[in-house]
Amino acid sequence: MDVAVMHSALVIGTGLMGTSVALALRARGVTVYLRDVDSAAARTAASLGAGTVQPPTETVDLAIVAVPPPLVGKVLADAQGRHLARHYTDVASVKAETQHDVVDLRCDTSCYIGGHPMAGASRSGPLKARGDLFEGRSWALTPTADTDTETLNMALELVTLCGAVPVLMEAAVHDRAVALVSHAPHVVASLVAMRLESAEEREVSLAGPGLRDLTRIAEADAQLWLDILGGNAAAVADLLDELGADLSEMVAGLRAMAATDEAKRSSGTKTVGTMLRRGMSGRSRISGKHGRQPERFESVTVLIGDQQGELARLLTDADRADVNIEDIRIEHATGRQAGLVHVSVAPGMTAPLREALRTGGWHER
C-alpha cells in the first residue's frame, strides 16, 4: 500500500473549519497556504498562525476545499484546472449532492475524496477557529468510485494530523446519517428556540441548563444552515416526518394522562413512559469520552463568583485532590454575578474532591 506523507497543504476557504484545519496542520509542521475570496478573512487566519497568504510556488500535496456545500464543485474544478495540488478533499457537511456536482463538472475524481469532520461551533469565522477542534471527533471520508489509494491515504493522514477518527462510508449513507445526528436536531433546536421569541420575559427568565443545551446549536448562522439543509433536504424531511409521527403519539399519550377516565390515564402513562425510556436507551448509544460508551460520573457542584481568575483557582484547588476531572460544566445564574460549576469525576472519587474544595474555601451546592 502507498504511504502518504504530507509536507504542504492549501486550504481554500478560511472560515471556522478551514482555519481550524490549517491551525491543526501547522501545529504538526505542515506548510500551509491560505486562499479565500475574502482576502481579509485569509489575512486574519494568517495572523492567527494558520499559514501564509502567499501563493504556493509549486504543487502542494493536498488541497482542502472549505467552502459552503453548493460551491465545492466549482472551487474544486478551478483548483484542479490550475493544478494546485496532487490530491483534493473537502469538509462539506453534505456529500451526495457535492459528489454529483464534482462528477457533473468533470473533475478528476481519482485524486479527490469527500470529507466531513463532525465538529463545529455555534459561531463561524476564522476568529472562532481552534487547532484542537477535531480532537477525538469522527471524520467521514466518502471516496468516489475511482478514488485512488494514494489519495485515500493522504486523506487518512489529514484526519490523523487533525487528531480525528476516520470513518469511511458511501456519500448517500453519510447524508442519511448526518440527517439523523446533526441536521434534523438542528431544525428541532431551532423550532424550540423559535417558541421563545414571543414568550414573556418572566417565562424566559426561568430557562435553565437543559433548555440552553437543547437550543445552543440554534445560534449558528442561518444562511450557512440553509446551504447545509438545501443539500440534504429530502433526507432531513423524511426524518422529520418520522419524528412528527412520534410527536403525535406523545401528544396523544399526554392528552390521555390528563383525562378523567382512569383507564385512559393508565394507557397514556404507559405510552409516555415507554417513549421516555426509549429516549434514554437511544441516548445511551452515543459514545462518551474518547469514543467509549458514556460513563456514569458523579458530580460536585460549587458556587463560583464572576471575578477574573476564579475558575483557575477552582481547578487548582481541585487538582490537589489528585483526582482526574472527567468533565466540567458552568451554569450561569440569570441576573447574578455568580454561577454554578459542576465538576464530574469517576464514581467513588467525590470524597477527596469535596475535601480539597472545602479546604480551598469553596461552598458546595
Side-chain angles (χ1 to χ4, degrees):
M1 179 179 289
D2 296 329
V3 178
V5 177
M6 189 189 309
H7 299 290
S8 59
L10 170 64
V11 174
I12 306 175
T14 51
L16 168 69
M17 301 299 284
T19 304
S20 294
V21 170
L23 288 169
L25 294 179
R26 286 293 302 125
R28 296 301 186 95
V30 177
T31 299
V32 179
Y33 300 92
L34 305 170
R35 183 176 177 181
D36 200 307
V37 292
D38 182 351
S39 58
R43 290 195 299 271
T44 298
S47 72
L48 298 171
T52 177
V53 294
Q54 297 299 318
T57 57
E58 58 184 12
T59 303
V60 301
D61 295 321
L62 178 68
I64 300 104
V65 178
V67 300
L71 302 179
V72 170
K74 292 180 179 179
V75 172
L76 177 64
D78 177 74
Q80 289 189 342
R82 296 169 185 264
H83 305 289
L84 297 179
R86 281 178 280 277
H87 309 281
Y88 300 84
T89 188
D90 70 86
V91 293
S93 56
V94 291
K95 306 286 15 137
E97 186 170 291
T98 298
Q99 198 172 96
H100 291 154
D101 289 344
V102 167
V103 172
D104 289 344
L105 290 168
R106 300 184 183 279
C107 296
D108 182 356
T109 53
S110 67
C111 60
Y112 163 74
I113 183 170
H116 178 207
M118 296 301 296
S122 60
R123 304 295 183 183
S124 59
L127 291 175
K128 298 299 181 181
R130 302 191 340 251
D132 64 350
L133 183 66
F134 312 106
E135 289 285 343
R137 299 300 187 92
S138 297
W139 191 310
L141 294 173
T142 56
T144 65
D146 59 347
T147 297
D148 64 36
T149 302
E150 189 176 351
T151 297
L152 172 59
N153 287 341
M154 185 62 69
L156 290 171
E157 183 171 350
L158 168 68
V159 175
T160 299
L161 291 173
C162 290
V165 180
V167 180
L168 267 66
M169 57 203 321
E170 295 178 358
V173 173
H174 164 275
D175 287 357
R176 288 195 297 272
V178 294
L180 173 64
V181 303
S182 177
H183 300 169
H186 187 93
V187 173
V188 172
S190 297
L191 292 176
V192 173
M194 189 175 72
R195 305 304 303 173
L196 302 174
E197 190 178 33
S198 58
E200 293 185 11
E201 187 62 34
R202 61 178 179 176
E203 294 175 323
V204 178
S205 70
L206 298 179
L211 184 63
R212 290 191 181 96
D213 289 346
L214 177 63
T215 59
R216 176 187 57 80
I217 55 178
E219 293 180 332
D221 181 74
Q223 184 56 55
L224 172 63
W225 271 92
L226 274 176
D227 290 337
I228 293 171
L229 294 172
N232 203 25
V236 176
D238 288 344
L239 189 60
L240 290 176
D241 268 342
E242 296 174 12
L243 183 60
D246 292 338
L247 284 172
S248 295
E249 185 178 355
M250 175 62 81
V251 168
L254 291 170
R255 296 290 187 202
M257 287 178 70
T260 56
D261 182 81
E262 184 175 346
K264 286 186 177 180
R265 288 202 307 271
S266 177
S267 175
T269 300
K270 182 178 179 180
T271 296
V272 173
T274 297
M275 297 185 77
L276 292 177
R277 285 189 291 273
R278 290 184 63 192
M280 292 176 62
S281 176
R283 177 65 175 82
S284 70
R285 296 193 64 192
I286 301 175
S287 295
K289 186 178 178 183
H290 307 311
R292 303 191 302 259
Q293 283 298 103
E295 300 178 45
R296 298 296 181 183
F297 299 130
E298 296 177 354
S299 294
V300 174
T301 301
V302 297
L303 183 68
I304 187 172
D306 198 29
Q307 300 88 352
Q308 184 175 355
E310 280 293 270
L311 182 58
R313 184 171 74 84
L314 172 65
L315 294 176
T316 299
D317 290 340
D319 187 57
R320 296 195 181 99
D322 196 26
V323 173
N324 185 48
I325 295 177
E326 300 290 348
D327 194 13
I328 185 167
R329 182 168 60 86
I330 302 174
E331 180 182 344
H332 298 284
T334 304
R336 296 181 58 190
Q337 297 300 310
L340 298 176
V341 177
H342 308 276
V343 182
S344 298
V345 295
M349 302 305 295
T350 56
L353 176 61
R354 285 193 172 99
E355 180 59 31
L357 294 179
R358 275 197 297 267
T359 301
W362 298 97
H363 300 289
E364 187 175 349
R365 291 301 173 101

